[in-house]
Amino acid sequence: MSFDVICFDCDSTLSKIEGIDELAGRVGLGEEMSRLTDAAMNGLVPLEAVYEKRLSLIRPDRAGIDWLARLYISEIVEGAAEVFSSLSARNKELHIISGGIRQAILPLAGFLGLPESRVHAVDVYFNEDGSYRGYDQSSPLARTGGKAEICRRLVKPEVPLLMIGDGKTDMEAKQEGVSVIGFGGVVARPIVRELADFYFDHPTLLPILSYIL
């Protein structure tokens, strides 16, 4: 099957890091946040059960988000740029769908040649002094089933959509017209291998091209 609309997760898929965990480590909360993130990505707890808790504890400021944006790019997964370039050259419609912080992901998207309108993630808000004020609590990506909801908005009649990611939240996107690929090249999760239509755990994203094309 050939796919014309292709959506990628960000954390542990396009970049080797989990952004929220990196922000937590920056303020001395790394170990606690990693446990919460891993529980959500393995489907042990609903995403909404940990999303607000993580941000309210970390309270990332504007400087922290800028720091994370640079880290996303420096830790890009091998082959990601080549995959985006190859798919774009074939006029594929590419998107990033992430439960991560949108302002931190936008520079990575730009690095990959993706317009801001194709980045679906959670906005955070700052006070005038750059301190943390809150996040977009209405975003579907801050709760279970959010990626499936975004994919429903993007899927087109008789144009199959593909979602690629490392976590259970990515596999939830599977529905009529939407196939899912599990990527275990950064973090291998048994639940993802079990639920994915296709699964691979190479450290590079390049093998995905043979499946997509």
Side-chain angles (χ1 to χ4, degrees), residues 99-159:
I101 294 171
R102 190 168 185 269
Q103 290 96 324
I105 294 171
L106 286 175
L108 172 64
F111 180 81
L112 293 169
L114 199 65
E116 291 188 6
S117 60
R118 299 260 181 98
V119 179
H120 314 270
V122 182
D123 281 299
V124 293
Y125 308 124
F126 305 103
N127 296 307
E128 286 187 16
D129 64 357
S131 61
Y132 176 75
R133 180 161 60 87
Y135 70 98
D136 180 8
Q137 297 191 23
S138 69
S139 172
L141 292 166
R143 59 178 183 264
T144 301
K147 292 186 179 182
E149 186 174 326
I150 300 298
C151 286
R152 276 194 295 275
R153 298 177 190 173
L154 298 175
V155 73
K156 304 167 185 174
E158 299 180 11
V159 180

Side-chain angles (χ1 to χ4, degrees), residues 6-18 71-85 87 94-98 105 108-112 114 118-119 163-166 170 183 185-186 203-205 208:
I6 302 150
C7 304
F8 292 83
D9 176 39
C10 178
D11 299 48
S12 297
T13 300
L14 293 176
S15 186
K16 290 179 278 190
I17 63 170
E18 286 288 337
L71 193 60
Y72 270 132
I73 294 172
S74 67
E75 295 294 326
I76 193 169
V77 166
E78 182 183 345
E82 292 85 349
V83 166
F84 267 67
S85 177
L87 294 175
L94 306 180
H95 295 262
I96 293 175
I97 304 178
S98 171
I105 294 171
L108 172 64
F111 180 81
L112 293 169
L114 199 65
R118 299 260 181 98
V119 179
M163 178 75 207
I164 302 149
D166 71 293
D170 303 297
F183 175 60
V186 178
T204 168
L205 276 173
I208 211 168

Side-chain angles (χ1 to χ4, degrees), residues 143-197:
R143 59 178 183 264
T144 301
K147 292 186 179 182
E149 186 174 326
I150 300 298
C151 286
R152 276 194 295 275
R153 298 177 190 173
L154 298 175
V155 73
K156 304 167 185 174
E158 299 180 11
V159 180
L161 182 149
L162 183 65
M163 178 75 207
I164 302 149
D166 71 293
K168 185 172 184 289
T169 55
D170 303 297
M171 301 304 100
E172 290 169 356
K174 183 160 63 172
Q175 58 195 287
E176 185 177 354
V178 180
S179 299
V180 293
I181 289 182
F183 175 60
V186 178
V187 182
R189 307 183 196 277
I191 187 67
V192 173
R193 186 187 293 269
E194 177 187 332
L195 296 175
D197 294 308

Side-chain angles (χ1 to χ4, degrees), residues 32-101:
E32 180 181 356
M33 291 304 113
S34 292
R35 284 197 299 269
L36 290 172
T37 299
D38 207 45
M41 291 303 99
N42 282 298
L44 301 176
V45 297
L47 181 61
E48 57 269 26
V50 302
Y51 204 96
E52 183 167 11
K53 181 177 181 180
R54 294 184 305 184
L55 283 176
S56 64
L57 287 170
I58 298 167
R59 303 189 65 78
D61 60 11
R62 187 176 279 116
I65 298 304
D66 291 344
W67 169 84
L68 178 58
R70 295 190 294 271
L71 193 60
Y72 270 132
I73 294 172
S74 67
E75 295 294 326
I76 193 169
V77 166
E78 182 183 345
E82 292 85 349
V83 166
F84 267 67
S85 177
S86 179
L87 294 175
S88 295
R90 291 169 170 80
N91 295 316
K92 302 295 184 181
E93 182 181 316
L94 306 180
H95 295 262
I96 293 175
I97 304 178
S98 171
I101 294 171

